[in-house]
Each structure stands twice: as structure tokens, then as C-alpha cells.
Amino acid sequence: MTISFRKVCKNEFNKVYEVIEKSFPLSEYRTLEEQFVLMDLPYFNAMVIEDEDVLVGILVEWQLEHAIYLEHLAVNPEIRGKGLGSTLMSEYLAQAERTVVLEVEDIDTDIAQRRIGFYQRLGFTLSDVSFKQPSFQGRDEDTVDLRIMYYPKNINKDILDQVKEELLEKVYFVK
């Protein structure tokens, strides 16, 4: 398998959005119209992950000042269940030139613990930095308590607090 990450432009974004819709709950992604607005931001990147010409997955990242925020990584639903999520994440982390952060739900459920364990096996560390994710679809009941995970190790809390502020300001547009 030869995996490549390729940034997409607006006219290709629909295939990224289709995978997002099939992979995440409604409360975890923006409308298509909102996504198109983000495509104009210089620090927002939507990518397809391909093996030759086959769509293997998608990735959405934000190049923030203190880290790269990985908002979405999903395997094409048509080829899930083959361990590709770990492979794609490992490939992504190998080429990342900066600290990578992501968010996980800050609740004690089986699925939240499995997600945390998945990322920890890939080398991420669960931080104590938490915040409430505003709803993407405008409903107050869809806010989610989140914690930041980071890769590689040894990021100090001051930097993580700055990352949290950047996430709130630049990703969620909370002032």
C-alpha cells in the first residue's frame, strides 16, 4: 500500500464531506456551507488519503500557531475494518513536522475509553486540559466535554492551554 495525503480544493471537497457525514455524529461536524467558508482560511486543510487512485480516507487539519490540530480522520466506510485507521494515523504522524493535537470526549464511557486507548497506542498522551466544544449544528444540547491529547510526548501545560485558546478562537470561533 502506497498512501498519499493530498490537499483538496473546493470543487473536490464533496467527497471529503461524504466520508465525514458517514463517519461522525451530526454534532461533530459543520454544515457543507460552513465547511466551504473554512476552505478559504489559510490554516485550514482538507485532504483525501489515497492509495494510487483509490479513496482510502479523509483528513481535516488546522495549522495553528502552537500545534497541528487534527479535527477529522476517517477511513472510507466502504473499506473499514481492516486496521487502516492505525495505518493512516501512523503515516500521518510520521510526516507531521510539528506537535499534533486532537480532542477526545471527557466522559467515562466504553467508547470514549476505547478511543483514548487507540490514540495512546499510537503514542498520544491524554492531557488534563479540557473544555466544552460548542455545537456545530447550533443546538445547546450538542455541546461536548472534551480533553486534549497530544503527540509526541513532553508538551508543557502552558503550551496546551494556549492550544486550547487557539482551538476556541480559530476552530470554534468563540471569543
Side-chain angles (χ1 to χ4, degrees):
M1 180 177 272
T2 306
I3 295 173
S4 64
F5 296 80
R6 183 175 59 79
K7 186 174 176 179
V8 298
C9 51
K10 281 185 180 181
N11 66 347
E12 293 181 286
F13 187 75
N14 282 339
K15 60 182 154 184
V16 171
Y17 197 75
E18 285 175 27
V19 174
I20 290 172
E21 285 182 305
K22 292 176 183 175
S23 304
F24 298 96
L26 188 62
S27 63
E28 292 184 13
Y29 64 91
R30 295 171 179 84
T31 65
L32 182 60
E33 294 76 22
E34 291 170 324
Q35 291 283 3
F36 276 130
V37 171
L38 298 178
M39 297 286 292
D40 292 329
L41 297 174
Y43 49 91
F44 176 86
N45 296 313
M47 298 182 210
V48 291
I49 308 167
E50 299 169 316
D51 180 11
E52 296 181 18
D53 289 333
V54 176
L55 177 65
V56 177
I58 60 93
L59 182 138
V60 176
E61 69 174 15
W62 297 72
Q63 294 283 337
L64 303 176
E65 182 179 345
H66 295 95
I68 301 167
Y69 165 56
L70 182 56
E71 182 174 33
H72 295 298
L73 174 71
V75 174
N76 181 345
E78 296 171 12
I79 56 173
R80 280 194 190 137
K82 300 176 182 175
L84 290 172
S86 296
T87 300
L88 299 182
M89 182 64 90
S90 294
E91 290 281 337
Y92 176 73
L93 294 172
Q95 59 86 36
E97 297 178 357
R98 303 171 51 218
T99 298
V100 175
V101 298
L102 51 83
E103 306 154 330
V104 292
E105 290 183 59
D106 190 18
I107 55 175
D108 191 20
T109 64
D110 185 52
I111 193 159
Q113 293 306 312
R114 285 198 325 257
R115 283 184 183 149
I116 291 167
F118 171 78
Y119 293 123
Q120 286 174 327
R121 287 188 296 279
L122 290 164
F124 280 84
T125 301
L126 182 62
S127 78
D128 292 329
V129 177
S130 63
F131 64 98
K132 190 172 285 294
Q133 175 193 26
S135 170
F136 282 126
Q137 302 295 332
R139 300 181 322 197
D140 288 339
E141 64 270 15
D142 288 337
T143 62
V144 180
D145 292 322
L146 298 172
R147 285 177 62 187
I148 295 175
M149 294 189 79
Y150 57 91
Y151 176 94
K153 298 186 181 323
N154 301 327
I155 308 299
N156 75 42
K157 186 171 181 325
D158 290 339
I159 295 292
L160 288 173
D161 285 336
Q162 290 173 2
V163 167
K164 170 185 154 181
E165 294 307 314
E166 282 185 282
L167 287 171
L168 289 169
E169 181 182 330
K170 292 184 175 179
V171 174
Y172 298 113
F173 304 104
V174 174
K175 299 283 179 181

